[in-house]
């Protein structure tokens, strides 16, 4: 049995009601800072990679591994990190995750070899897998219901949707005017501020009752998710290769075994009730499609900016900002609409609007202008993503038992991570095929690259269009849930 709670530790039942209203918004700022750090890290490092490769003498394989190692550690350990946060304590997990992420970032920032950078990225991913679900769980228990919860998750969703583009700008500034090292070192002062604020502000909360760890489930899901993420990363060089097929097959089998174990054990790592609810299941599916489409849009749009339009990394980052601006402007409006029209309408319209943005972007040409061919599509994409992200974060954690807040939060992040891995593999395969066909027809040219980018945007739009009926038929929640501060949660 677990030891009784210490005097300074509040249980899940009492923690949310003991947080003063003013402190709750300060807590939101701390959680938002942590989320921004994790989101920024993906794109900011991508901008730094060419300079880091030259400086450290890395091979092309090592350069790709810098991204893959982080994704492997982060994606594989997310569910375990979420359950550790539930059992060990969300405040403690938040602080340790933030501190570990900062130390790993510092190690990467002073790396003198490719091996040192790869180790740092692995540790970054591991600590991010503890930090991300702990941060979202803290937010969930701090804002248990009502209008304030909607506003809090609107901020969180805005950062999730727009932080990647901000990372491109910051990465461009740091790489161009300082050095690639600062793309990692910048995390250290940000983490220090978050930790110093978290110590007095956050109240400890953890799952009450029996808290035994599900070791078999932890092993199965960690290895299974790692195998899936790695398999999708290898698919970039060909879906028919033996390693792609092997790792994807092993990943699917291990995840299936994990589900079977979770259905039988008394203390599951991921209680199946978290996933099997129709509303939450629909939210997780939408999250996969949106995560994949967002990654494809940002990655290949950045390529278009730099390779076709001839922009510097900084200019490319700045050119990505209109999408972020659209998210920031739209998110507060969506949070007000959530209690009026409900999440079902918003999460159905959002993918369709975002898909319209990607279809607009698919019309890019070699000689076209940014203002005519890119800007309108970015604005539509930003509005559509805001329509999805604000209700998504609310719905995905709605009705979750307090003791499961950490692992449910991890499941949300895991769906986005898996979606991103699938998107990278699928879009890369489509891009390579279209470019090869175009070159075979008319020879090497910028037009061949643009044809590849256009095909990626169309594929992303198709995925988003599929997400719309998923949301319409599965996301059924009483809209009054988002307007009252107390009361039952009504899931369809």
């Amino acid at each position: 049995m677990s030891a009784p709670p210490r005097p300074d530790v509040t249980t899940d039942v009492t923690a949310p009601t003991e947080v003063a209203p003013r402190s709750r918004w300060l807590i939101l700022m701390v959680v938002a800072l942590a989320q921004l750090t994790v989101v920024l890290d993906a794109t900011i490092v991508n901008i730094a990679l060419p300079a880091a490769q030259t400086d450290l003498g890395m091979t092309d394989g090592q350069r790709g591994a810098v991204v893959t190692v982080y994704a492997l550690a982060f994606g594989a350990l997310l569910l375990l990190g979420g359950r550790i946060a539930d059992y060990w304590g969300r405040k403690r997990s938040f602080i340790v995750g933030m501190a570990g992420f900062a130390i790993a970032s510092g190690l990467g920032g002073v790396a003198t070899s490719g091996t040192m950078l790869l180790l740092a990225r692995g540790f970054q991913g591991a600590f991010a897998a503890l930090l991300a679900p702990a941060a979202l769980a803290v937010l969930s228990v701090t804002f248990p219901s009502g209008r304030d919860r909607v506003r809090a998750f609107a901020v969180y969703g805005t950062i999730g949707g727009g932080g990647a583009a901000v990372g491109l700008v910051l990465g461009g500034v740091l790489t161009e005017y300082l050095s690639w090292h600062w793309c990692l070192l910048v995390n250290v002062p940000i983490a220090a501020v978050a930790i110093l604020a978290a110590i007095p502000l956050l109240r400890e909360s953890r799952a009450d009752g029996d808290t035994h760890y599900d070791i078999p489930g932890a092993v199965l899901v960690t290895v299974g998710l790692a195998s899936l993420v790695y398999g999708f990363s290898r698919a970039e060089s060909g879906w028919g290769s033996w390693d792609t097929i092997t790792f994807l097959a092993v990943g699917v089998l291990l995840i299936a075994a994990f589900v079977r174990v979770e259905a039988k054990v008394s203390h599951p790592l991921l209680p199946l009730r978290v996933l099997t609810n129709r509303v939450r299941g629909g939210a997780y599916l939408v999250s996969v499609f949106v995560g994949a489409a967002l990654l494809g849009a940002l990655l290949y749009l950045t390529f278009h900016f730099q390779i076709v339009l001839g922009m510097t990394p900084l200019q490319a980052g700045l050119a990505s900002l209109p999408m972020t601006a659209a998210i920031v402007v739209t998110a507060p409006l969506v949070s007000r609409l959530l209690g009026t029209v409900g999440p079902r309408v918003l999460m159905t319209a959002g993918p369709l609007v975002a898909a319209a943005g990607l279809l607009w972007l698919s019309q890019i040409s070699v000689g076209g202008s940014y203002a005519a061919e890119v800007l309108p599509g970015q604005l539509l994409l930003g509005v559509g993503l805001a329509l999805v992200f604000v209700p998504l974060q609310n719905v995905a954690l709605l009705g979750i038992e307090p003791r499961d807040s950490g692992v449910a939060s991890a499941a949300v992040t895991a769906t986005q991570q898996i979606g991103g891995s699938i998107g990278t593999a699928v879009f890369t395969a489509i891009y390579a095929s279209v470019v090869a066909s175009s070159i075979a027809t008319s020879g090497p040219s910028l037009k061949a690259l643009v044809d590849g980018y256009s095909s990626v945007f169309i594929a992303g739009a198709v995925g988003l269009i599929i997400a719309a009926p998923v949301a319409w038929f599965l996301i059924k929640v009483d809209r009054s849930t988002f307007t009252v501060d107390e009361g039952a949660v009504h899931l369809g």
Side-chain angles (χ1 to χ4, degrees), residues 100-112:
F101 191 85
I103 293 170
S105 298
L107 179 66
V110 298
T112 55

Side-chain angles (χ1 to χ4, degrees), residues 206-229:
R206 61 168 64 94
D208 52 0
D210 205 344
T211 54
H212 287 96
Y213 284 99
D214 171 20
I215 302 301
V219 172
L220 285 171
V221 76
T222 298
V223 180
L225 287 175
S227 185
L228 281 178
V229 172

Side-chain angles (χ1 to χ4, degrees), residues 72-95:
L72 277 173
F74 185 42
L77 296 171
L78 265 169
L79 290 180
L80 180 58
R83 192 47 106 188
I84 289 174
D86 284 333
Y87 289 175
W88 196 42
R90 287 131 194 169
K91 175 181 179 178
R92 183 185 296 175
S93 298
F94 180 93
I95 292 173

Side-chain angles (χ1 to χ4, degrees), residues 148-176:
D148 284 351
R149 180 184 175 93
V150 173
R151 296 189 188 104
F153 277 96
V155 172
Y156 192 89
T158 300
I159 292 173
V166 175
L168 293 174
V169 178
L170 186 57
V173 170
L174 295 175
T175 302
E176 195 163 323

Side-chain angles (χ1 to χ4, degrees), residues 228-311:
L228 281 178
V229 172
Y230 185 73
F232 281 121
S233 73
R234 296 302 302 159
E236 296 179 35
S237 57
W239 288 94
S241 61
W242 71 269
D243 52 346
T244 298
I245 295 173
T246 300
F247 279 102
L248 289 178
V250 169
V252 170
L253 290 174
L254 290 176
I255 295 299
F258 167 71
V259 172
R260 186 176 179 83
V261 168
E262 299 308 277
K264 294 183 176 182
V265 296
S266 57
H267 299 88
L269 176 69
L270 177 61
L272 295 185
R273 61 180 176 270
V274 173
L275 299 177
T276 54
N277 175 271
R278 183 180 66 183
V279 173
R280 286 194 295 269
Y284 292 143
L285 284 174
V286 171
S287 178
V288 171
F289 284 112
V290 173
L294 175 60
L295 178 68
L298 283 179
L299 180 61
Y300 286 92
L301 192 57
T302 302
F303 290 164
H304 180 67
F305 288 158
Q306 296 187 60
I307 298 173
V308 179
L309 300 184
M311 296 181 180

